[in-house]
Amino acid sequence: MVDRVTATPAALVLIEQLRTRHGPLMFHQSGGCCDGSAPMCYAQGEFIVGDHDRLLGSIGGMPFYISGPQFEYWQHTQLIIDVVPGRGGMFSLEGPTGRRFLTRSRLFTDAEWAALQATESTGKADTA
């Protein structure tokens, strides 16, 4: 199975630290404005998922959403959530840690893209 979103080991460590402190989490890939295109981390339920948001998958067992228009732009890429030094988004839970989540990406291979299309068109994917 091809994942639309994954996390680096460093990101998984930070997710677990935040989960221990705040309980279940959720992520939303910001599409710009104040926090650029940063992945935002919230306590589960603190961000209202809209009708046009799409569940890409999960990282560290936590759901990861992206807006519909942002998905259309990035649908051919796998999002890889990493951690770097710096201040996180204003409302993102990692802000006080001195680290921030960062989205890296790579294009799906032709084989991965075909597998995603086949899985998603049959409705078997959690990300549809």
Side-chain angles (χ1 to χ4, degrees):
M1 180 172 166
V2 180
D3 293 318
R4 284 195 172 273
V5 61
T6 65
T8 65
L12 292 173
V13 167
L14 183 54
I15 291 167
E16 181 56 26
Q17 291 169 351
L18 293 171
R19 188 203 57 77
T20 298
R21 173 174 265 164
H22 300 283
L25 307 171
M26 64 180 292
F27 288 84
H28 190 273
Q29 179 62 50
S30 173
C33 187
C34 303
D35 292 314
S37 58
M40 303 293 288
C41 179
Y42 302 98
Q44 222 168 67
E46 284 191 5
F47 179 86
I48 304 298
V49 177
D51 292 340
H52 298 289
D53 289 326
R54 181 175 172 130
L55 178 64
L56 281 189
S58 65
I59 54 174
M62 308 300 154
F64 192 101
Y65 296 88
I66 190 170
S67 72
Q70 192 77 4
F71 174 77
E72 290 304 316
Y73 185 72
W74 283 1
Q75 68 180 311
H76 298 97
T77 63
Q78 181 181 58
L79 302 187
I80 304 155
I81 308 306
D82 200 358
V83 173
V84 295
R87 177 106 171 108
M90 180 192 266
F91 300 107
S92 195
L93 291 176
E94 82 279 8
T97 70
R99 296 170 286 167
R100 66 182 183 92
F101 290 109
L102 175 77
T103 301
R104 301 182 191 280
S105 64
R106 69 169 186 84
L107 289 174
F108 288 116
T109 65
D110 290 341
E112 289 170 329
W113 181 247
L116 274 171
Q117 294 302 289
T119 301
E120 291 176 356
S121 69
T122 62
K124 293 182 182 176
D126 292 335
T127 61

Coordinates of all heavy atoms in Angstrom, one line a residue, residues 40-93:
M40 N 0.0 21.8 10.5 CA -0.4 22.3 11.8 C -0.9 21.1 12.7 O -1.6 20.3 12.3 CB -1.5 23.3 11.7 CG -1.2 24.5 10.8 SD 0.1 25.6 11.5 CE -0.9 26.3 12.7
C41 N -0.4 21.1 14.0 CA -0.7 20.1 14.9 C -1.7 20.6 16.0 O -1.4 21.7 16.6 CB 0.5 19.6 15.6 SG 0.3 18.3 16.8
Y42 N -2.8 20.0 16.2 CA -3.8 20.4 17.1 C -4.2 19.2 18.0 O -4.1 18.1 17.6 CB -5.1 20.9 16.4 CG -4.9 22.0 15.4 CD1 -4.8 21.7 14.1 CD2 -4.9 23.3 15.8 CE1 -4.7 22.7 13.1 CE2 -4.8 24.3 14.9 CZ -4.6 24.0 13.6 OH -4.5 25.0 12.6
A43 N -4.7 19.6 19.2 CA -5.4 18.5 20.0 C -6.6 18.1 19.2 O -7.2 18.9 18.6 CB -5.8 19.1 21.4
Q44 N -6.9 16.8 19.2 CA -8.0 16.3 18.4 C -9.3 17.0 18.8 O -9.6 17.2 20.0 CB -8.2 14.8 18.6 CG -8.4 14.1 17.3 CD -8.3 12.6 17.5 OE1 -9.1 12.0 18.1 NE2 -7.3 12.0 16.8
G45 N -10.0 17.6 17.8 CA -11.2 18.3 18.0 C -11.1 19.8 18.1 O -12.0 20.5 18.1
E46 N -9.8 20.3 18.2 CA -9.6 21.7 18.3 C -9.6 22.4 16.9 O -9.6 23.6 16.9 CB -8.3 22.0 19.1 CG -8.5 21.9 20.5 CD -7.3 22.4 21.3 OE1 -6.4 23.1 20.7 OE2 -7.3 22.2 22.5
F47 N -9.6 21.7 15.9 CA -9.7 22.2 14.5 C -10.9 21.6 13.9 O -11.0 20.3 13.9 CB -8.4 21.9 13.8 CG -8.4 22.4 12.3 CD1 -8.0 23.8 12.1 CD2 -8.9 21.7 11.3 CE1 -8.1 24.3 10.8 CE2 -8.9 22.1 10.0 CZ -8.5 23.5 9.8
I48 N -11.8 22.4 13.4 CA -13.0 21.9 12.7 C -12.6 21.5 11.3 O -12.2 22.3 10.5 CB -14.1 22.9 12.7 CG1 -14.4 23.3 14.2 CG2 -15.4 22.3 12.1 CD1 -14.9 22.3 15.1
V49 N -12.8 20.2 11.0 CA -12.5 19.7 9.6 C -13.7 20.1 8.7 O -14.8 19.9 9.1 CB -12.3 18.2 9.6 CG1 -12.1 17.7 8.2 CG2 -11.1 17.9 10.5
G50 N -13.4 20.8 7.6 CA -14.4 21.2 6.7 C -14.9 20.2 5.7 O -14.2 19.1 5.6
D51 N -16.0 20.5 5.0 CA -16.5 19.6 4.0 C -15.5 19.3 2.9 O -15.6 18.2 2.3 CB -17.8 20.1 3.4 CG -18.9 20.2 4.4 OD1 -18.9 19.4 5.4 OD2 -19.9 20.9 4.2
H52 N -14.6 20.2 2.6 CA -13.7 20.1 1.5 C -12.4 19.6 1.9 O -11.5 19.4 1.1 CB -13.6 21.4 0.8 CG -14.8 21.9 0.2 ND1 -15.4 21.2 -0.9 CD2 -15.7 22.9 0.5 CE1 -16.6 21.8 -1.2 NE2 -16.7 22.8 -0.4
D53 N -12.2 19.3 3.3 CA -10.9 18.8 3.7 C -10.9 17.3 3.4 O -11.9 16.6 3.4 CB -10.8 19.0 5.2 CG -10.5 20.5 5.6 OD1 -9.8 21.1 4.8 OD2 -11.0 20.9 6.6
R54 N -9.7 16.8 3.3 CA -9.5 15.4 2.9 C -8.6 14.7 3.8 O -7.5 15.2 4.2 CB -9.0 15.3 1.5 CG -8.8 13.9 1.0 CD -8.3 13.9 -0.5 NE -8.0 12.6 -0.8 CZ -8.4 12.0 -1.9 NH1 -9.2 12.6 -2.7 NH2 -8.0 10.7 -2.2
L55 N -8.9 13.5 4.3 CA -8.1 12.7 5.2 C -7.0 12.0 4.3 O -7.4 11.2 3.4 CB -8.9 11.7 5.9 CG -8.1 10.8 6.8 CD1 -7.4 11.5 8.0 CD2 -9.0 9.7 7.4
L56 N -5.8 12.4 4.5 CA -4.7 11.8 3.7 C -4.3 10.4 4.3 O -3.8 9.6 3.5 CB -3.5 12.7 3.6 CG -3.5 13.8 2.7 CD1 -2.1 14.5 2.6 CD2 -4.0 13.5 1.3
G57 N -4.3 10.3 5.6 CA -3.8 9.1 6.2 C -3.6 9.5 7.7 O -4.2 10.4 8.2
S58 N -2.6 8.9 8.3 CA -2.2 9.2 9.6 C -0.7 9.1 9.8 O 0.0 8.4 9.0 CB -2.9 8.2 10.6 OG -2.4 6.9 10.4
I59 N -0.2 9.9 10.7 CA 1.2 9.8 11.1 C 1.3 9.7 12.6 O 0.6 10.3 13.4 CB 2.0 11.1 10.6 CG1 1.4 12.4 11.1 CG2 2.1 11.1 9.1 CD1 2.2 13.6 10.8
G60 N 2.1 8.7 13.1 CA 2.1 8.4 14.5 C 0.8 8.1 15.1 O 0.5 8.3 16.2
G61 N -0.1 7.5 14.2 CA -1.4 7.1 14.7 C -2.4 8.3 14.8 O -3.6 8.1 15.2
M62 N -2.0 9.4 14.3 CA -2.9 10.6 14.4 C -3.4 11.0 13.0 O -2.6 11.0 12.0 CB -2.1 11.8 15.0 CG -1.5 11.5 16.3 SD -2.7 11.0 17.6 CE -1.6 10.0 18.6
P63 N -4.6 11.4 12.8 CA -5.1 11.7 11.5 C -4.5 12.9 10.9 O -4.2 13.9 11.6 CB -6.6 11.9 11.7 CG -6.8 12.3 13.1 CD -5.6 11.5 13.8
F64 N -4.3 12.9 9.6 CA -3.7 14.0 8.9 C -4.6 14.4 7.7 O -4.9 13.7 6.8 CB -2.3 13.6 8.3 CG -1.5 14.7 7.8 CD1 -0.4 15.2 8.6 CD2 -1.7 15.3 6.6 CE1 0.4 16.3 8.1 CE2 -0.9 16.3 6.1 CZ 0.1 16.8 6.9
Y65 N -5.0 15.7 7.8 CA -6.0 16.2 6.8 C -5.3 17.3 5.9 O -4.3 17.9 6.3 CB -7.2 16.9 7.5 CG -8.0 16.0 8.3 CD1 -7.7 15.7 9.6 CD2 -9.1 15.3 7.7 CE1 -8.5 14.8 10.3 CE2 -9.9 14.4 8.4 CZ -9.6 14.2 9.7 OH -10.4 13.3 10.5
I66 N -5.9 17.5 4.8 CA -5.4 18.6 3.9 C -6.7 19.2 3.2 O -7.7 18.5 3.0 CB -4.4 18.1 2.8 CG1 -3.8 19.2 2.0 CG2 -5.1 17.1 1.9 CD1 -2.6 18.7 1.1
S67 N -6.6 20.5 2.9 CA -7.8 21.1 2.3 C -7.9 20.5 0.8 O -7.0 20.1 0.2 CB -7.7 22.6 2.2 OG -6.7 23.0 1.3
G68 N -9.2 20.5 0.3 CA -9.4 20.0 -1.0 C -8.6 20.7 -2.1 O -8.0 20.0 -2.9
P69 N -8.6 22.0 -2.1 CA -7.8 22.7 -3.1 C -6.3 22.4 -3.0 O -5.6 22.3 -4.0 CB -8.1 24.2 -2.9 CG -9.5 24.2 -2.2 CD -9.5 23.0 -1.4
Q70 N -5.8 22.3 -1.8 CA -4.4 22.0 -1.6 C -4.1 20.6 -2.1 O -3.1 20.3 -2.7 CB -4.0 22.2 -0.1 CG -2.5 22.2 0.2 CD -1.9 23.5 -0.2 OE1 -2.5 24.5 -0.6 NE2 -0.6 23.5 -0.1
F71 N -5.1 19.7 -1.8 CA -4.9 18.3 -2.3 C -4.8 18.3 -3.8 O -4.0 17.5 -4.3 CB -6.0 17.4 -1.8 CG -6.0 16.0 -2.4 CD1 -5.1 15.1 -1.9 CD2 -6.8 15.7 -3.5 CE1 -5.0 13.8 -2.5 CE2 -6.7 14.4 -4.0 CZ -5.8 13.5 -3.5
E72 N -5.7 19.0 -4.5 CA -5.6 19.0 -5.9 C -4.3 19.4 -6.4 O -3.8 18.9 -7.4 CB -6.7 19.9 -6.5 CG -8.1 19.4 -6.3 CD -8.3 18.0 -6.9 OE1 -7.9 17.8 -8.0 OE2 -8.9 17.2 -6.2
Y73 N -3.6 20.4 -5.8 CA -2.3 20.9 -6.2 C -1.2 19.8 -5.9 O -0.3 19.7 -6.7 CB -2.0 22.2 -5.4 CG -0.8 22.8 -5.8 CD1 -0.6 23.5 -7.1 CD2 0.3 22.9 -5.0 CE1 0.5 24.1 -7.4 CE2 1.5 23.5 -5.3 CZ 1.6 24.1 -6.6 OH 2.8 24.7 -6.9
W74 N -1.3 19.1 -4.7 CA -0.3 18.2 -4.3 C -0.6 16.7 -4.5 O 0.1 15.9 -4.0 CB 0.0 18.5 -2.8 CG 0.8 19.7 -2.5 CD1 1.3 20.6 -3.5 CD2 1.3 20.1 -1.3 NE1 2.0 21.5 -2.8 CE2 2.0 21.3 -1.5 CE3 1.1 19.7 0.0 CZ2 2.6 22.0 -0.5 CZ3 1.7 20.4 1.1 CH2 2.4 21.6 0.8
Q75 N -1.7 16.4 -5.2 CA -2.1 15.0 -5.2 C -1.1 14.0 -5.8 O -1.2 12.8 -5.5 CB -3.4 14.9 -6.0 CG -3.3 15.2 -7.4 CD -4.7 15.1 -8.1 OE1 -5.4 14.1 -7.9 NE2 -5.0 16.1 -8.9
H76 N -0.2 14.5 -6.6 CA 0.8 13.6 -7.2 C 2.1 13.4 -6.3 O 3.1 12.9 -6.8 CB 1.2 14.1 -8.6 CG 0.1 14.2 -9.5 ND1 -0.7 15.3 -9.7 CD2 -0.5 13.2 -10.3 CE1 -1.6 15.1 -10.6 NE2 -1.6 13.8 -10.9
T77 N 2.0 14.0 -5.1 CA 3.2 13.9 -4.2 C 2.9 13.2 -2.9 O 1.7 13.3 -2.4 CB 3.7 15.3 -3.9 OG1 2.8 16.0 -3.2 CG2 4.1 16.1 -5.1
Q78 N 3.9 12.5 -2.4 CA 3.8 12.0 -1.0 C 4.3 13.1 -0.1 O 5.4 13.6 -0.3 CB 4.6 10.8 -0.9 CG 4.6 10.1 0.5 CD 5.4 8.9 0.6 OE1 6.6 9.0 0.4 NE2 4.8 7.8 0.9
L79 N 3.5 13.4 1.0 CA 4.0 14.4 2.0 C 4.8 13.6 3.0 O 4.4 12.6 3.5 CB 2.8 15.1 2.6 CG 1.9 15.8 1.6 CD1 0.8 16.6 2.4 CD2 2.6 16.7 0.7
I80 N 5.9 14.2 3.3 CA 6.8 13.6 4.3 C 7.0 14.6 5.4 O 7.6 15.7 5.2 CB 8.2 13.2 3.7 CG1 8.0 12.3 2.5 CG2 9.1 12.6 4.8 CD1 9.1 12.3 1.5
I81 N 6.4 14.4 6.6 CA 6.4 15.3 7.7 C 7.7 15.1 8.5 O 8.0 14.0 8.9 CB 5.2 15.2 8.6 CG1 3.9 15.2 7.7 CG2 5.2 16.3 9.6 CD1 3.8 16.5 6.8
D82 N 8.5 16.2 8.6 CA 9.8 16.2 9.3 C 9.7 17.2 10.4 O 8.8 17.9 10.6 CB 10.9 16.5 8.3 CG 12.2 16.0 8.7 OD1 12.4 15.5 9.8 OD2 13.2 16.2 7.9
V83 N 10.8 17.3 11.2 CA 11.0 18.3 12.2 C 12.3 19.0 12.0 O 13.3 18.4 11.7 CB 11.0 17.6 13.6 CG1 11.3 18.6 14.7 CG2 9.6 16.9 13.9
V84 N 12.3 20.3 12.2 CA 13.5 21.1 12.1 C 13.5 22.1 13.3 O 12.4 22.4 13.8 CB 13.6 21.9 10.7 CG1 13.7 20.9 9.6 CG2 12.4 22.8 10.5
P85 N 14.6 22.7 13.6 CA 14.6 23.7 14.6 C 13.9 24.9 14.2 O 13.8 25.3 13.0 CB 16.1 24.0 14.8 CG 16.9 22.9 14.2 CD 16.0 22.3 13.1
G86 N 13.2 25.6 15.1 CA 12.5 26.8 14.8 C 11.2 26.9 15.5 O 10.8 25.9 16.2
R87 N 10.5 27.9 15.3 CA 9.2 28.2 15.9 C 8.1 27.6 15.0 O 8.0 28.0 13.8 CB 9.0 29.7 16.1 CG 7.7 30.0 16.7 CD 7.8 30.4 18.2 NE 6.5 31.0 18.6 CZ 5.7 30.3 19.4 NH1 6.0 29.2 19.9 NH2 4.5 30.9 19.8
G88 N 7.2 26.8 15.5 CA 6.0 26.3 14.8 C 5.0 27.4 14.5 O 5.1 28.5 14.9
G89 N 4.0 27.0 13.8 CA 2.9 27.9 13.5 C 2.2 28.4 14.8 O 2.3 27.8 15.8
M90 N 1.6 29.6 14.7 CA 1.1 30.3 15.8 C 0.2 29.4 16.7 O 0.3 29.4 17.9 CB 0.3 31.5 15.4 CG -0.2 32.3 16.5 SD -1.4 33.5 15.9 CE -0.4 34.9 15.8
F91 N -0.6 28.6 16.1 CA -1.6 27.7 16.8 C -1.2 26.3 16.9 O -1.9 25.5 17.5 CB -3.0 27.9 16.2 CG -3.5 29.3 16.2 CD1 -3.6 30.0 15.1 CD2 -3.9 29.9 17.4 CE1 -4.0 31.3 15.1 CE2 -4.3 31.2 17.5 CZ -4.4 31.9 16.3
S92 N -0.1 25.9 16.3 CA 0.4 24.5 16.3 C 1.0 24.2 17.6 O 1.8 24.9 18.2 CB 1.3 24.3 15.1 OG 1.5 23.0 14.9
L93 N 0.7 23.0 18.1 CA 1.1 22.6 19.5 C 2.6 22.5 19.7 O 3.1 22.6 20.8 CB 0.5 21.2 19.9 CG -1.0 21.3 20.1 CD1 -1.5 19.9 20.3 CD2 -1.4 22.2 21.2

